[in-house]
Amino acid sequence: MGKRYLYILLLIGIFSLQFGCSFGDINNDPERESNANMNEILPSAAVQTYRNILSIGGRVSSIIVQHFEGVDAQPLGYNNYLIDEQTLSDFWESGLYSGAMKDCKLIMDKAEEANQPHYAGIAKVLMAFNLGLATSMWGDVPFSKALQGTASIKSPYDTQEVVYQQIIMLLTEAIVDFETPAVAGGPAVDDLVFRGDISRWLKTTYALRARYKLHLNSKDNTVLPTILDDIAKSFTSRGEQPSFAFLATDNESNPLALFGKERPRQLEIGVGIKAIMDEKSDPRRAKYWVTKQGKNEVFLLDTTILVRTQRVSPLALITYDELLFIEAEVLVRLNQGNASAAFTKGILQSMESLGITSQQYNPYLAFQGGLSSGLTMEQKLEKIVIQKYIALFAQNPFESWTDYRRTGYPKLTIPANSNSSFNPSLIIPFRMLYPISERTTNNDNYKAAIDRQGGHFMDVKPWLFQ
């Protein structure tokens, strides 16, 4: 076992040299001073949170779940599962822990001192979201003893079970914060998402809590009825979803569009999603990729037809169509209500969000919409998860990856040139390797987390998927 471990470390070093250079996705300055005011920190926390969805962590997740295919340079390595300890270091360090999560902790502390519950609520929602990204990637991660200054650099890792408890607790506390009367000086234009409209933050919080409760279904199916309660208190249209509008300038544009501009032709449409959409003659195909000179392009600078990868393409913490698919899945699992209506509406909302007209999508809905009573529960679940997978393209690959790991849908085939160095079983990965900084600066806690989870390879199943 010792020789095998040394061999893996050697491979890590080699692959770090070959594939370790990552595209600059980090918007925040990790050295910013902590004495800034809440209204100065909140925009930074929000921007970095939204960038985290489709920065390097999102791109790797997109390739894993076959929304994209890496065809050149670093993405080609990711496509073949050469994803080493260096690949996601910036995402862990500057995107999450020293980035958005540090900002959220500062706001939460300052909000408590200043008696500003609405600032606290927004920070807790953003913290819960980023913590969800972290545990989706790695399973056990630091949190309860982390984000407390230099003393917390060597933080113990919370188990994924505890992490999910923390996510639900943060969202539940945020609901209480948002239901507390406003205090003068609360968030306004510094809230780049809702401009201080706390009623919309409250609805978003219920929607996010529904998402993370659904993740826990396999561990505790008693949460299912409470998910429907949360959905009932959430938003009821695309116009209410927590979208963030990016700008056309380089430093402020959609991270996928910026990557496509700076690193053209490194990504194409994923083989998984392409096969599904081709088979079903899905009208959304023309909005996701264009075949040009033999390549299935997902970025084109001279056209706006590829609506998810434009500089100004918005992202949302959770979309209305995702919420509808969550509702449909819960209703199917509970064998109650009109799951078919929620399912069909989810497809319709996805189509309309892309600018597809009813004339274009009605024939598709006639064959793909609805959940026939003749289908088994498992067949219905597969249909729901596949449509959610299509809708989440270039929106939130972490959710599609989580859906795959918890349901097995959609059925994906590993790439032909997959490398087993970090994924001995050669399966669709269940987690990523912790970044090298944790091995070098937090080794005892790092090793404890690895031992507890059963190893440090991508085929190791975190608690949620066991």
Side-chain angles (χ1 to χ4, degrees), residues 241-287:
Q241 69 187 28
S243 296
F244 181 83
F246 289 94
L247 302 178
T249 57
D250 279 354
N251 290 333
E252 299 171 305
S253 63
N254 178 292
L256 267 181
L258 185 56
F259 181 84
K261 174 180 178 291
E262 299 294 336
R263 307 287 180 90
R265 295 200 155 190
Q266 291 188 7
L267 293 175
E268 292 187 27
I269 195 68
V271 295
I273 194 167
K274 183 179 186 299
I276 290 170
M277 296 181 76
D278 280 346
E279 179 188 6
K280 300 179 184 301
S281 299
D282 196 310
R284 288 168 287 191
R285 290 177 299 180
K287 303 292 185 177

Side-chain angles (χ1 to χ4, degrees), residues 6-42:
L6 289 173
Y7 173 67
I8 292 300
L9 291 184
L10 177 61
L11 282 173
I12 287 171
I14 293 170
F15 294 137
S16 293
L17 291 174
Q18 187 174 2
F19 298 107
C21 177
S22 64
F23 180 72
D25 297 301
I26 308 305
N27 192 62
N28 284 348
D29 173 11
E31 302 300 322
R32 61 200 171 283
E33 295 186 16
S34 61
N35 59 359
N37 295 323
M38 287 181 290
N39 64 344
E40 297 171 314
I41 305 173
L42 182 58

Side-chain angles (χ1 to χ4, degrees), residues 98-313:
S98 294
M101 292 171 74
K102 177 184 176 182
D103 281 342
C104 291
K105 182 64 164 60
L106 287 172
I107 296 169
M108 288 161 61
D109 291 344
K110 290 175 180 290
E112 183 176 356
E113 294 174 5
N115 186 30
Q116 283 286 351
H118 294 173
Y119 270 111
I122 296 173
K124 289 172 184 176
V125 170
L126 298 179
M127 180 72 89
F129 183 87
N130 283 288
L131 187 55
L133 299 185
T135 195
S136 177
M137 274 284 185
W138 293 286
D140 294 6
V141 292
F143 181 67
S144 60
K145 300 294 179 61
L147 304 169
Q148 297 175 12
T150 56
S152 63
I153 291 176
K154 297 185 177 182
S155 300
Y157 288 53
D158 293 339
T159 66
Q160 189 172 57
E161 181 177 9
V162 169
V163 169
Y164 265 90
Q165 291 170 1
Q166 296 279 357
I167 290 170
I168 300 299
M169 183 178 71
L170 284 165
L171 295 171
T172 302
E173 289 179 356
I175 289 170
V176 174
D177 290 333
F178 293 142
E179 290 176 339
T180 302
V183 176
V189 294
D190 53 320
D191 168 15
L192 301 181
V193 183
F194 290 134
R195 300 297 190 269
D197 187 339
I198 299 305
S199 67
R200 294 179 69 181
W201 273 113
L202 182 60
K203 292 179 179 182
T204 292
T205 309
Y206 278 114
L208 287 171
R209 195 168 70 169
R211 169 198 282 170
Y212 295 114
K213 284 181 178 179
L214 182 62
H215 292 183
L216 294 168
N217 169 63
S218 64
K219 298 296 182 181
D220 178 14
N221 60 16
T222 64
V223 302
L224 290 176
T226 72
I227 294 173
L228 296 178
D229 292 338
D230 284 348
I231 292 173
K233 297 173 183 176
S234 185
F235 47 82
T236 57
S237 70
R238 287 200 315 278
E240 293 182 296
Q241 69 187 28
S243 296
F244 181 83
F246 289 94
L247 302 178
T249 57
D250 279 354
N251 290 333
E252 299 171 305
S253 63
N254 178 292
L256 267 181
L258 185 56
F259 181 84
K261 174 180 178 291
E262 299 294 336
R263 307 287 180 90
R265 295 200 155 190
Q266 291 188 7
L267 293 175
E268 292 187 27
I269 195 68
V271 295
I273 194 167
K274 183 179 186 299
I276 290 170
M277 296 181 76
D278 280 346
E279 179 188 6
K280 300 179 184 301
S281 299
D282 196 310
R284 288 168 287 191
R285 290 177 299 180
K287 303 292 185 177
Y288 284 4
W289 78 89
V290 172
T291 302
K292 190 174 182 179
Q293 297 177 347
K295 295 180 72 70
N296 295 310
E297 299 277 12
V298 289
F299 306 102
L300 284 177
L301 293 178
D302 57 350
T303 180
T304 58
I305 191 172
L306 302 178
V307 298
R308 294 278 170 85
T309 53
Q310 300 300 309
R311 285 174 173 265
V312 296
S313 296

Side-chain angles (χ1 to χ4, degrees), residues 448-463:
I450 289 172
D451 291 344
R452 184 169 59 237
Q453 293 181 103
H456 196 213
F457 295 104
M458 292 191 291
D459 56 1
V460 172
K461 293 184 179 181
W463 167 82

Side-chain angles (χ1 to χ4, degrees), residues 66-83:
Q66 298 179 16
H67 276 165
F68 292 115
E69 180 180 5
V71 295
D72 190 28
Q74 292 99 329
L76 176 59
Y78 309 155
N79 206 76
N80 296 332
Y81 302 154
L82 295 175
I83 307 168

Side-chain angles (χ1 to χ4, degrees), residues 238 241 243 284 287-288 307-308 314 319-321 345-357 361 390-393 395:
R238 287 200 315 278
Q241 69 187 28
S243 296
R284 288 168 287 191
K287 303 292 185 177
Y288 284 4
V307 298
R308 294 278 170 85
T319 61
Y320 184 42
D321 44 63
K345 190 173 183 180
I347 301 174
L348 184 150
Q349 290 296 318
S350 171
M351 296 281 186
E352 291 185 345
S353 73
L354 296 165
I356 296 173
T357 66
Y361 65 64
I390 296 170
L392 287 175
F393 172 78
Q395 289 290 289

